[in-house]
Amino acid sequence: MPHPRISVVTRELPKAWIPADRENEIYQRWVNAGYFTADVTSDKPPFSIVLPPPNVTGSLHMGHALEHAVMDALVRRKRMQGFETLWLPGTDHAGIATQTLVEKQIAIDGKSKEDFGRELFIDKVWDFKRESEGSIKGQMARLGDSVDWTRDRFTMDEGLSQAVQTIFKRLYDAGLIYRAERLVNWSPVLQTAISDIEVKYADVDGELVSLRYGSLNDNEPHVIVATTRVETMLGDTAVAVHPDDARYAALIGTTLEHPITGRQIPIVADDYVDPKFGTGAVKITPAHDPNDFELGLRHNLPMPNIMDTKGRIVDTGTEFDGMDRFEARVKVRERLAAEGRVVAEKRPYQHSVGHSERTGEPIEPRLSLQWWVKVEQLSKAAGDAVRNGDTVIHPASLEPRWFGWVDNMHDWCISRQLWWGHRIPVWYGPNGEVECFGPGETAPAGWTQDTDVLDTWFSSGLWPFSTMGWPDKTPELEKFYPTSVLVTGYDILFFWVARMMMFGTFVASSEADSPGAVPFKDVFLHGLLRDEHGKKMSKSRGNGIDPLDWVDEYGADATRFTLARGANPGADLSVGTPHITASRSFVTKVFNASKFAMMNGARVGELPAELTDADKWILGRLEETIAEVDEAFESYNLSKACEALYHFTWDEVCDWYLELAKVQFGAPGAEPAERPDDAVADNTRVVLGNVLDKLLRLLHPFLPFVTEDLWTALTGGDTLVTSEWPTTTGFDAGAATQNIENFQKLITELRRFRSDQGLKDSQKVAARITGLGTEQLPPPIAALARLTDATDTFAATASLEIRLSFGTVTAEIDTSGTVDLVAERKRLEKDLAVAEKDLAQTTAKLGNPEFLSKAPDAVIEKIKARKQVAEEEVVRINERLNGLK
């Protein structure tokens, strides 16, 4: 008889793990206990991460959830390793996005921001902010983020505003901030400059129109140029050709009359022009095209701005003034066509056009008076920090992309024509004076402040140190800066990471007692999220997934594990229903296996001196798993850590050791041939308890909720959050590893043998195994292979030879009376017919020369593989049918 159930569970566990019943309660207990609050007075080594601040306007999407799962795993492990951890949360004011949303809200009542005025409108935005940010914090709690809520920050907090003003003045005084007319991405709908990251390019069907400049007489000077934006020709100030193009050599340096304005425009020579593209001549509109602008600077060309802030044609002195740019595109083309100057039209003509991410409109390259950061010095320092190893990028394969950006960076437009944001701290005096005032400084009476605000990336570029109190010298800066690692997507490596590096290195160079040379020591760049079919997730595709939907249905642990399991540095990851359901099954497996172990007496204690091979093997594999997980964490390869834990938990602890443990401590269901020795049973419970203790600790960074309930039940401890991270002990399993590998192979082959003989999993059959050095079946083999000892009347109906490390083992079984031979023969004959049909079809295809000459290699290889499988099936089934005789 097996032992009765023994339970030493310190508190009762539920029958099943239902995340919704436990997660909120567990999280609130963690927060209330202060487990996530960093202690600046601690003498523990620091580990710090600042949360990439999500926009206050919305909610967390699956990309955020990925980052949070990765960051929380890193933080939880370091906390368990004895580090004083700070994971600092916060949100970004998101200038354009937030102002646009509030403007839409007031537009419902027929109001505009001008109806309220700047101050009252900003008050409304603050009200919106206070309502919106609460949902983000709630989502972070649902995910289990172990952030320090006492240090929650917002990019327009008073302290962060002081940091913005301080860095602006330092850069301004150093000559690194200036005001100038340059070309920007302009949104006529938002009526502001926008950053490159807010411009999304898409192929559209437009038109390509070829225009004739100069004389309509073929014998007189003329050139033909092509454009997709006919309306911009109203701002043309030159036509450019390549200096070595013999076709236009005589025209270089001369002028042609503009077809509409009547201005004389020069023919200039420039290497920018590709003589092999089109006619080899291009129209130059410096105020409305980035390449034309650069060429205009080189040739000192006039740069008339022919559009106002709303995208309407202005100041051309033509009948097109006042027209919208798209209306003017049609009307200008019609006039030129009527005059015989349109020599060719191609429509539709597909080409790439930049669109505003916020409004969906085509952006307009436009010459505009803006504030700029001179980046040459700053970007060099940011590049050198990586070259010198002060900051390490993971994966290293993305370093060339980093250098490609920072080494070729253009000056940064930092002004936005908005009301919501950090207002530029520059004032203008009544007599044309211009002066920048820092924190605590006041402009003289009668002076007016610049109306523009700063680009959102300007304030978020200060995030690693402004959130810790800079420019003041704070305990947080002294303890936790530079931060340990930045976790973000490779898609914003340039837009955000580069700006933080530029500002961080600038502060370090400008302060004698700077807290750090760089803002972070490591940069872990994760990839983009894709759906289960490999397509990038996006709102426009409709394939995005709300992470809270997954949390509601599958639980936070399963959601986190799904995301972390795909988190390879720099690699995109696909997630979908198959992935999350697999993770939920894993969480369920962890819970059920742990609960079963505890209900059968598993407990934590000093390891006994007497251990079975199974005990030694699992302890050895635990050692190897700890080392593998640690190595993966240190290289930020969380996917590898998850895989190691998944397979150790499921394949080794659950599928093998737990089954062997049932035999060793006589749990119900194992039914060993002999009752195990009491000492063996008790030792097994201790080994199983110790393995479970360390396994739950290893899993905690990824599955914080279920492991918390299980571990506290197993150990009686207060929390896993502050428990010790497992370390290797040098345990050597010795020969036990080979012995268990032999055992696993033997059981696997016996189970396959049983299946081939048509036996159900629950059926027990008599067997004789020779070559093990004992006549009786060892209890583990009998239990796991569902075998009974052979009697005096035993007559084998089938046999199998299994090659193990020490020799060959022969297994014989008697299936008489256990298999319905007639039914089994019918089943096998049906399977044989299917296999023979597939074999005939694949053989015919591979013997057809016409098929082989036309089919792709991949298809042919697939057919060959099918044929091989069919051949093997025919042999296997025939052997089985012969065995039934």
Side-chain angles (χ1 to χ4, degrees), residues 589-590 593 648-659:
K589 187 79 169 180
V590 170
F648 176 69
T649 302
W650 197 301
D651 299 342
E652 297 178 321
V653 173
C654 295
D655 283 357
W656 287 107
Y657 184 70
L658 202 56
E659 295 303 310

Side-chain angles (χ1 to χ4, degrees), residues 41 130 142 236 299 306 378 443 467 504 516 551 569 597 690 736 847 850 866:
T41 66
R130 283 184 279 269
R142 292 289 309 280
D236 285 354
H299 295 273
I306 62 163
L378 302 174
T467 51
V551 172
N690 283 4
E850 185 176 356
R866 277 181 53 199

